[in-house]
Amino acid sequence: MLYELALPGLLLQGGYRWLRTAWRTTPREPALRLRSARARLRRAEIGLLDRTAPVLAASLLLRRFHRNQSEAPMAVMPQRADQTVCSGNCFRRHGVYLRQLGPVDGPRVLLIHGWNADGRMMMPLARALADQGLRVAVPDLPGTGRSEGRPRSFVALALILNKLFLNEKTYDLVIGHSAGGLIAMIALGQGLKAQRLMTISAPSSLARMMDLYLRFTGQPARTARALLGRYENVCGRPLAAIGPSECREMSIPLKVVHAKHDWQVPASEAQGICAAREGLTPIYLGNCNHRTVLHHPELTGLVVHFLQETSDREAPHASYR
């Protein structure tokens, strides 16, 4: 009886998080156990610093946020002066590892992966698009996967992408998954040449991205506020404006796709992207989550249709008013 009366209050007061933690099973694999233990120690360290020096805690947390972009290690390939051919259609340019698939004369598509991932996550979609006759490029962002470089802010990553593809032909389509959608928006705002943009399960702004990260990792409030202020200084702009500003100023066609049951980046974020620009309606894909949306059987068709439905228009480069 008391349990039945208390349960609603527990849920309202954050009891759900406690119950979820209590029911969570300990990983059996040694590597996952080590990672779980390391995560607990890191949270404890931030919690201690939050009580004594929240600014220092924010600095440490921001460095870890950037480092998480390269949490999935891969063997580092040797590099020559500027560009080293690795194997087949994979090579390194200016330290960035780049995969290319599909016929060389097909429509050009650039896939940008998200945070805490690398280009391998995009490969199922890349192969499906290549089978449809598209020429697909899949980079590992700097500091991730097989790419060199230290972890950087999203704004800095977008700037590196622009330099990497400065002398490339205009891409027919840029696709960004999760934070990669946000990076793609920023890159287009900085001058990346493309005729279309598609975001997949992307956050609506950099502020929302950081807010989701802080909530998901359960960071203390004082440290979270200090982190947002520090990251805003790093980016040189208000975090809430990074994303919506680029979306409003963009003159190229934009398609917003989101996993209907996404628990990492809520589906409501798609509405936030569309709210920044008139005439946009999000497309929701069912029976998938944040990661499995890239394997959704309808996604390839959406990409091909997007290219076809805009091919009759003379879509300009990523120009801004």
Side-chain angles (χ1 to χ4, degrees):
M1 179 66 176
L2 291 176
Y3 170 79
E4 293 175 350
L5 292 174
L7 182 59
L10 287 173
L11 294 177
L12 291 175
Q13 297 298 323
Y16 172 72
R17 178 179 296 178
W18 179 85
L19 289 173
R20 187 179 65 179
T21 304
W23 290 337
R24 184 180 298 159
T25 59
T26 303
R28 294 183 179 180
E29 297 81 358
L32 293 180
R33 285 188 176 185
L34 178 61
R35 184 170 179 175
S36 178
R38 184 177 63 177
R40 289 195 296 270
L41 287 174
R42 286 180 170 181
R43 285 195 295 270
E45 183 181 29
I46 293 296
L48 178 61
L49 285 175
D50 179 73
R51 299 183 183 91
T52 57
V55 175
L56 179 59
S59 177
L60 177 61
L61 191 60
L62 181 58
R63 188 159 59 239
R64 288 176 178 173
F65 174 77
H66 287 159
R67 284 179 180 172
N68 276 347
Q69 297 175 105
S70 54
E71 279 293 297
M74 298 179 67
V76 178
M77 303 293 291
Q79 181 189 10
R80 296 173 190 165
D82 181 42
Q83 176 174 310
T84 301
V85 176
C86 297
S87 62
N89 290 321
C90 301
F91 57 87
R92 197 185 310 281
R93 181 189 299 161
H94 302 300
V96 175
Y97 187 80
L98 183 65
R99 307 165 184 84
Q100 291 187 332
L101 300 82
V104 294
D105 57 347
R108 293 162 50 78
V109 180
L110 174 64
L111 302 186
I112 303 177
H113 67 81
W115 177 79
N116 197 19
D118 56 48
R120 293 175 299 177
M121 177 177 284
M122 309 298 290
M123 289 306 292
L125 177 59
R127 294 189 185 98
L129 295 178
D131 289 341
Q132 295 295 319
L134 307 183
R135 180 64 169 175
V136 187
V138 187
D140 286 343
L141 293 175
T144 71
R146 298 192 180 193
S147 289
E148 298 178 348
R150 59 183 177 82
R152 302 170 185 268
S153 71
F154 287 2
V155 174
L157 289 175
L159 184 60
I160 292 174
L161 280 180
N162 286 338
K163 292 180 179 179
L164 180 66
F165 299 111
L166 180 63
N167 297 320
E168 292 277 327
K169 292 169 55 180
T170 300
Y171 278 93
D172 293 278
L173 173 63
V174 175
I175 301 176
H177 171 250
S178 189
L182 193 58
I183 293 171
M185 291 183 196
I186 300 170
L188 288 166
Q190 294 174 343
L192 180 65
K193 296 182 293 184
Q195 293 185 339
R196 304 163 186 82
L197 171 64
M198 175 182 286
T199 64
I200 303 175
S201 287
S204 57
S205 70
L206 188 50
R208 285 293 297 145
M209 169 71 193
M210 298 304 297
D211 183 56
L212 291 169
Y213 165 72
L214 292 169
R215 291 187 183 187
F216 185 75
T217 56
Q219 302 302 331
R222 288 197 304 173
T223 293
R225 288 193 297 269
L227 171 65
L228 293 175
R230 186 174 183 85
Y231 200 40
E232 194 162 283
N233 291 335
V234 169
C235 294
R237 296 168 54 195
L239 300 184
I242 299 178
S245 176
E246 285 78 5
C247 191
R248 280 192 298 269
E249 298 298 322
M250 197 181 301
S251 61
I252 61 175
L254 170 61
K255 184 79 70 177
V256 180
V257 180
H258 214 101
K260 187 176 182 179
H261 304 294
D262 196 327
W263 59 272
Q264 290 178 268
V265 179
S268 58
E269 292 299 298
Q271 291 286 357
I273 297 175
C274 294
R277 183 175 174 182
E278 293 182 1
L280 289 180
T281 302
I283 297 175
Y284 296 103
L285 298 178
N287 301 317
C288 61
N289 57 34
H290 188 71
R291 292 176 178 261
T292 59
V293 66
L294 294 171
H295 304 258
H296 198 282
E298 296 180 17
L299 184 57
T300 302
L302 285 174
V303 173
V304 173
H305 180 68
F306 186 35
L307 285 166
Q308 291 175 344
E309 73 178 358
T310 55
S311 60
D312 293 335
R313 313 172 195 167
E314 290 190 0
H317 297 335
S319 58
Y320 285 73
R321 294 188 289 270

